[in-house]
Amino acid sequence: MQEKYLPSEIEHTAQARWTASQTYRARDDSDRPKYYCLSMFPYPSGRLHMGHVRNYTIGDVLARYHAMRGYNVMQPMGWDAFGLPAENAAIANNVPPAAWTYANIDHMRTQLQALGFAIDWSRELATCKPDYYRWEQWLFTRLFEKGVIYKKMATVNWDPIDQTVLANEQVIEGRGWRSGALVEKRDIPMYFFRITQYADELLSGLDNLPGWPERVKTMQANWIGKSVGVRLAFKIPPAPPLSKGGESLLWVFTTRADTLMGVTFVAVAAEHPLATRAAENNPELAAFIAECKQGSVAEADMATMEKKGMDTGLKVSHPLTGESIPVWVGNYVLMSYGEGAVMAVPAHDERDFGFAQKYGLPIKQVIGVEGETFSLDAWQEWYADKARGHCVNSGKYDGLGYEAAVDAIAADLAAKGLGEKKTQFRLRDWGISRQRYWGCPIPIVHCEACGDVPVPAGQLPVVLPEDVVPDGSGNPLNKRADFVNCVCPKCGGAARRETDTMDTFVESSWYYARYACPDFDGGMLDARANKWLPVDQYIGGIEHAILHLLYARFFHKLMRDEGLVSSDEPFVNLLTQGMVIADTYYRESADGKKTWFNPADVETRDDVAVLKADGQPVVAGGTEKMAKSKNNGVDPQALIDQYGADTARLFTMFAAPPEQSLEWSDAGVEGAHRFLKRLWKLAFEHVQGGTVAAFAGGELPDAAKTLRRQLHQTIHKVSDDIERRKQFNTAIAAVMELMNALAKLEGMDATTRSVRQEVLEAAVAMLAPIVPHIGEALYAELKPDAAMAWPAVDEAALVQDEIELMLQVNGKLRGQIRVASAATREAVEAAALAGEVAQKYLEGKPPKKVVVVPGRLVNIVV
RNA sequence: GCCGGGAUGGCGGAAUCGGUAGACGCAGCGGAUUCAAAAUCCGCCGCUGGUAACAGUGUGGGGGUUCGAGUCCCCCUCCCGGCACCA
């Protein structure tokens, strides 16, 4: 055995052996129980970052642990290969996104392999390959024909200078990131998945996911946002027909129909037909509407901007009282939400209250709470209190509580044909059209005669040309005659191919299923999908808690309803790893553009952060998720090069529990490496004396017996930490403690050496899922030619004759007592009261109360 | 703004079911080894007072429940994630 721990040598040897013997190939035909362990696939951005290392190490620990436990494990890997960054790189470097993406995949695959993950590489897939997206297009056409996909207008960010649609990320403080132009809202036709049709099932299905974190389920439930309210209409007085269908009704939705008698105005979106009509003869209003159309469509921007409005001069009549109500245009009302109009009750809605105060609109109290006095001066929380409030100033509804009032008002509205109760979801249909090149083409042909025609299955895939270099001004596919010009599949006439591509969330919504049968060319999925699905353990960043995970759950149900899978949910257990975060640093140029610097290139001199290259100060931008956009990613490659993959893996697992965010710091890596060297040395010294059979029973000296007890406690703890708690930092700490204790065990007699053998074998096996290379190398030295199995707990080794209990007086720690581990509650109490400490505090008086917590403590209340 | 999460020594973190706060590691300090250094090994290490035994105090801030609160409840502050076209 080598005396020195040489990571690169043992890592290369181990990896070569795994590749040669296809150790991690998942067997489709095995009769062992399956364990499908999946980590969210990476976007091939160029290089691995620490978040990847963390994510894939967590998955690998669980995969390897279950393999040691006898499961038939599948751990696949692939590439979420379409996306915006490839286009940005293309613009910057004049390379086609395809070439850039494939080069990144090759590099990152090499990096993943150097980390020694137990991945079945035979199942690798990339979403930008036609043999993958072909089936996505096929499903699209199926769903289009079923009406699950439909087309409607939707609002996007429009850059008037670059003449292109912008992603929310590309809008910086209301301006286009490249042009600096004020962004405008523009309505364009898009395809939508009718996800709202599945809203109820997506909500109720959360109850069948005990293996998901509560916080994720709560976030999804709130996102879906089921609420029961009332849809009601205000009458638009006779005039040219205005609203949809010429009904002359202005519809709104409210969850607070009980406040209907307090409506003092109605607010509509800038794009609403009523607003458009009112602006025809009102240049001031037209200017305001134009102003409302500026700015991004992001909800966070909408919610935080200053609420502005303008009177249209139009009036509608209240559905119950007939009272004349003014119509305003509000910049906070979105056309694409609900009806594009809201009723305003300033007295009982905080946003309406502020708006009414600002514009001097009437505020009419219609809800009261016992003992509270309404005042127009300032908003108070109770104004909106559904639980305590009851109707006032509301005529026949006075005195009714929330539910009774809503019921009564809904019934009266229904009688007039002006409203009904309605279940509403916050969730909106999923718009998937992207006016971008590097994505999966939407398989639709536009024919003058036949309309939108889905591409027939036999003509799929619609292949995306890979030799395109975008220039930042619109979708380059529009300029490709060979792509655009086509023949209508229905009538054979000349037609135009859709050039929009799909949201990349579509690819990542079903890849987990395709891993079961990546080579199947007869359809989207084959029977192997039901062998492997659902995924037993899914691991990924908490930032995906809502969108990706909700879309994947939705897709699973779509595939189920197509007969492709038989389960209802895709992921049985979910682990959401926390962010890897790091400091950010930037400099701002005169035109307000920020340049971000990597923390590795920044140092602190006299408490000032400066760039190493020029010694000039940089601005600290706070600690944020490692991201390309902030250039604060730490490159794990340097870590691997210097210390080896095992150290990188050990450190990321040891530094923080998986679900918490991990603040990066270079310190600490050294400690992880030191531990591996120490482990190697302990094994080396033992092996030098000749290997022996592990302890198999018999009498032991006290020190060895204590160590054996600690060993079996550790096996119990580590198994529980990995399998149930999924908290690896404490598992590692427990093995470190065990190794510290082992180093202190003296004696070279055969019995002691057999205990040492037992401890080393078990410790190496327990660490192997985390540090597989050194694990394999050491196990081969300790127990040549033996297969490594997960160690079993010897219950007999855990038995203790005497235990120590904490002694408290009035809840404060005052000492300890030793009692037989079998001692009864009475015996423990007696022993505690007899002790010196108790006598001192009791001063001869009897105790008020004695609390005995078995195995833990005794508390004497005096 | 809304939804979700977090805050514990100089630092990362531990305390799993309300029961010894600070495991394990980093940094630091002292010692051994060495010609010297690196590496390694041993020891100390929340704060205040005390030579010490020990006492007091301490888990972002304020209040509460309890024999006992880092953990439960109420209020607040700050930080992080998401907000539908970043992935």
Side-chain angles (χ1 to χ4, degrees):
Chain A
M1 182 181 175
Q2 267 280 2
E3 182 171 359
K4 208 165 175 255
Y5 168 46
L6 300 169
S8 87
E9 199 173 286
I10 63 164
E11 286 174 12
H12 281 117
T13 307
Q15 287 164 16
R17 197 185 71 73
W18 296 337
T19 307
S21 60
Q22 302 192 344
T23 312
Y24 303 116
R25 189 101 185 224
R27 304 288 159 189
D28 290 326
D29 55 0
S30 168
D31 50 13
R32 283 177 293 147
K34 64 101 182 175
Y35 184 77
Y36 181 1
C37 184
L38 179 67
S39 291
M40 290 181 186
F41 63 169
Y43 176 76
S45 56
R47 300 169 75 78
L48 287 190
H49 55 68
M50 289 311 304
H52 292 131
V53 176
R54 190 181 196 195
N55 196 158
Y56 303 138
T57 304
I58 293 167
D60 203 45
V61 171
L62 292 169
R64 287 174 178 277
Y65 171 81
H66 283 86
M68 286 174 81
R69 288 291 211 181
Y71 287 85
N72 176 32
V73 172
M74 169 160 84
Q75 184 175 224
M77 185 54 70
W79 309 95
D80 187 15
F82 279 135
L84 195 55
E87 296 196 26
N88 297 337
I91 296 165
N93 312 319
N94 200 36
V95 229
W100 181 83
T101 302
Y102 291 129
N104 288 347
I105 288 175
D106 284 341
H107 182 72
M108 290 171 74
R109 187 191 303 107
T110 307
Q111 289 191 300
L112 286 176
Q113 286 168 344
L115 279 158
F117 297 130
I119 288 166
D120 180 354
W121 285 102
S122 72
R123 293 171 189 265
E124 181 181 358
L125 57 81
T127 58
C128 61
K129 296 258 182 78
D131 61 0
Y132 181 82
Y133 64 67
R134 172 183 180 182
W135 303 111
E136 186 168 310
Q137 293 176 334
W138 170 81
L139 185 68
F140 182 101
T141 61
R142 288 282 305 148
L143 297 171
F144 184 77
E145 280 155 3
K146 281 165 84 174
V148 176
I149 291 175
Y150 66 99
K151 195 176 179 181
K152 69 169 180 183
M153 298 299 280
T155 317
V156 295
N157 303 307
W158 178 256
D159 185 321
I161 291 185
D162 279 347
Q163 291 283 301
T164 191
V165 175
L166 296 178
N168 283 334
E169 194 191 47
Q170 297 172 312
V171 180
I172 315 289
E173 285 161 17
R175 291 171 183 274
W177 67 328
R178 284 159 56 81
S179 68
L182 279 174
V183 167
E184 298 168 5
K185 295 188 187 74
R186 179 172 276 210
D187 282 345
I188 58 167
M190 300 212 313
Y191 291 96
F192 282 79
F193 276 86
R194 216 180 284 278
I195 189 172
T196 49
Q197 200 173 301
Y198 286 77
D200 256 320
E201 197 194 342
L202 287 166
L203 182 63
S204 62
L206 294 171
D207 295 336
N208 305 323
L209 293 173
W212 279 41
E214 281 307 319
R215 60 170 165 163
V216 174
K217 289 190 280 187
T218 306
M219 279 191 264
Q220 290 216 347
N222 290 338
W223 183 262
I224 295 167
K226 185 176 184 171
S227 61
V228 178
V230 174
R231 180 174 177 264
L232 58 97
F234 290 77
K235 281 189 189 160
I236 302 166
L242 293 165
S243 62
K244 299 169 193 170
E247 291 165 331
S248 284
L249 291 176
L250 176 65
W251 288 94
V252 301
F253 174 84
T254 179
T255 55
R256 291 302 305 268
D258 58 319
T259 64
L260 182 59
M261 304 305 273
V263 171
T264 59
F265 65 99
V266 176
V268 300
E271 299 87 348
H272 197 279
L274 264 187
T276 311
R277 185 182 163 274
E280 277 168 16
N281 310 310
N282 184 343
E284 208 190 337
L285 184 63
F288 177 70
I289 288 172
E291 187 193 324
C292 287
K293 286 181 181 172
Q294 280 188 351
S296 97
V297 297
E299 191 185 291
D301 294 337
M302 300 290 294
T304 50
M305 72 187 175
E306 191 191 351
K307 309 288 178 288
K308 286 186 186 171
M310 187 175 279
D311 193 350
T312 62
L314 298 172
K315 307 274 194 240
V316 291
S317 64
H318 191 283
L320 295 181
T321 65
E323 190 187 343
S324 183
I325 306 281
V327 178
W328 282 60
V329 173
N331 66 346
Y332 59 93
V333 185
L334 265 188
M335 195 59 212
S336 51
Y337 287 28
E339 308 288 343
V342 295
M343 68 177 217
V345 185
H348 305 291
D349 179 280
E350 189 169 6
R351 190 176 61 181
D352 295 344
F353 186 88
F355 194 89
Q357 277 195 321
K358 180 170 177 178
Y359 292 105
L361 289 156
I363 298 173
K364 183 185 168 199
Q365 183 195 1
V366 291
I367 298 290
V369 166
E370 292 298 320
E372 302 279 9
T373 312
F374 192 87
S375 153
L376 295 179
D377 302 338
W379 174 259
Q380 287 178 45
E381 285 302 317
W382 72 261
Y383 295 176
D385 193 336
K386 279 197 277 201
R388 293 196 297 153
H390 58 88
C391 292
V392 297
N393 305 327
S394 301
K396 64 186 268 204
Y397 309 110
D398 279 358
L400 296 179
Y402 168 71
E403 275 176 45
V406 170
D407 288 346
I409 288 172
D412 288 348
L413 286 167
K416 294 184 168 206
L418 289 175
E420 71 281 300
K421 275 202 172 178
K422 195 186 167 198
T423 299
Q424 174 99 348
F425 292 96
R426 207 188 74 94
L427 181 69
R428 310 196 300 263
D429 277 339
W430 176 16
I432 52 131
S433 294
R434 298 291 178 269
Q435 298 68 45
R436 272 186 247 298
Y437 156 69
W438 189 236
C440 170
I442 290 178
I444 291 283
V445 167
H446 301 289
C447 170
E448 293 244 346
C450 311
D452 289 6
V453 181
V455 176
Q459 293 177 29
L460 293 175
V462 176
V463 176
L464 183 75
E466 294 198 347
D467 57 350
V468 173
V469 184
D471 61 5
S473 63
N475 186 346
L477 286 177
N478 286 315
K479 297 171 199 157
R480 288 284 296 237
D482 59 336
F483 182 82
V484 175
N485 298 331
C486 61
V487 169
C488 171
K490 230 180 197 170
C491 70
R496 199 186 138 77
R497 196 179 290 289
E498 171 68 54
T499 56
D500 280 2
T501 53
M502 287 191 227
D503 180 0
T504 57
F505 271 125
V506 180
E507 283 90 64
S508 55
S509 292
W510 67 283
Y511 76 109
Y512 63 89
R514 184 70 185 176
Y515 280 135
C517 48
D519 52 357
F520 183 50
D521 61 5
M524 193 170 190
L525 301 175
D526 67 22
R528 288 173 288 174
N530 281 330
K531 176 192 165 56
W532 288 107
L533 291 172
V535 173
D536 294 281
Q537 180 68 57
Y538 196 33
I539 305 119
I542 183 66
E543 70 272 26
H544 296 294
I546 296 173
L547 291 178
H548 162 62
L549 288 167
L550 189 66
Y551 293 147
R553 291 181 61 220
F554 170 54
F555 245 73
H556 200 78
K557 293 171 199 305
L558 293 177
M559 292 191 291
R560 177 199 62 195
D561 293 348
E562 278 294 318
L564 294 164
V565 295
S566 55
S567 39
D568 291 325
E569 290 283 344
F571 313 120
V572 177
N573 292 295
L574 173 69
L575 190 155
T576 44
Q577 64 155 352
M579 303 276 155
V580 180
I581 56 180
D583 292 333
T584 59
Y585 300 98
Y586 66 91
R587 278 183 194 154
E588 203 165 349
S589 61
D591 61 358
K593 273 199 180 165
K594 286 176 178 170
T595 309
W596 299 88
F597 298 101
N598 195 278
D601 302 326
V602 173
E603 62 183 1
T604 306
R605 290 182 199 161
D606 306 323
D607 289 335
V608 179
V610 299
L611 194 65
K612 283 179 191 169
D614 58 17
Q616 295 304 303
V618 288
V619 185
T623 313
E624 290 183 60
K625 152 180 144 175
M626 284 190 180
K628 262 205 148 167
S629 60
K630 296 287 172 72
N631 190 17
N632 64 337
V634 171
D635 188 356
Q637 195 61 49
L639 210 65
I640 298 166
D641 293 345
Q642 191 176 353
Y643 298 103
D646 281 338
T647 295
R649 296 170 58 120
L650 180 64
F651 175 70
T652 48
M653 290 303 93
F654 183 60
E659 301 220 308
Q660 273 183 37
S661 61
L662 165 58
E663 197 174 325
W664 180 257
S665 92
D666 292 319
V669 177
E670 188 74 43
H673 189 63
R674 199 175 294 154
F675 172 69
L676 294 181
K677 283 198 286 187
R678 196 167 142 84
L679 177 72
W680 186 275
K681 193 176 147 199
L682 281 166
F684 175 78
E685 284 167 356
H686 176 73
V687 169
Q688 284 306 98
T691 51
V692 291
F695 179 77
E699 279 303 303
L700 285 175
D702 278 353
K705 197 175 173 183
T706 304
L707 180 66
R708 261 203 102 225
R709 186 167 65 236
Q710 187 179 348
L711 166 66
H712 289 277
Q713 284 169 341
T714 304
I715 296 171
H716 179 81
K717 178 176 171 54
V718 171
S719 305
D720 187 52
D721 276 353
I722 293 179
E723 192 164 331
R724 181 181 63 86
R725 300 180 68 210
K726 298 185 176 74
Q727 187 160 307
F728 313 115
N729 54 331
T730 48
I732 295 164
V735 181
M736 284 177 167
E737 281 183 83
L738 181 66
M739 291 297 94
N740 290 344
L742 176 68
K744 289 195 174 88
L745 181 72
E746 290 175 356
M748 288 301 287
D749 56 286
T751 315
T752 305
R753 293 201 70 241
S754 72
V755 170
R756 207 174 273 132
Q757 175 82 21
E758 184 190 11
V759 171
L760 280 167
E761 277 178 22
V764 167
M766 284 189 282
L767 289 170
I770 299 163
V771 285
H773 311 91
I774 192 174
E776 183 163 294
L778 288 181
Y779 207 81
E781 298 289 354
L782 287 164
K783 210 175 176 185
D785 306 316
M788 196 173 358
W790 192 257
V793 176
D794 177 1
E795 298 289 339
L798 299 174
V799 176
Q800 258 185 109
D801 301 337
E802 248 192 355
I803 52 170
E804 193 170 64
L805 298 183
M806 293 306 116
L807 180 60
Q808 293 186 341
V809 178
N810 292 337
K812 276 188 190 278
L813 183 67
R814 296 297 178 188
Q816 299 85 28
I817 54 169
R818 288 195 73 84
V819 296
S821 52
T824 60
R825 186 175 285 265
E826 290 71 25
V828 169
E829 192 173 324
L833 290 174
E836 217 176 286
V837 174
Q839 292 309 313
K840 179 179 156 196
Y841 284 93
L842 281 168
E843 295 167 345
K845 286 169 258 174
K848 234 185 194 167
K849 188 175 176 182
V850 180
V851 182
V852 178
V853 184
R856 290 255 182 210
L857 59 74
V858 186
N859 185 18
I860 301 168
V861 186
V862 302

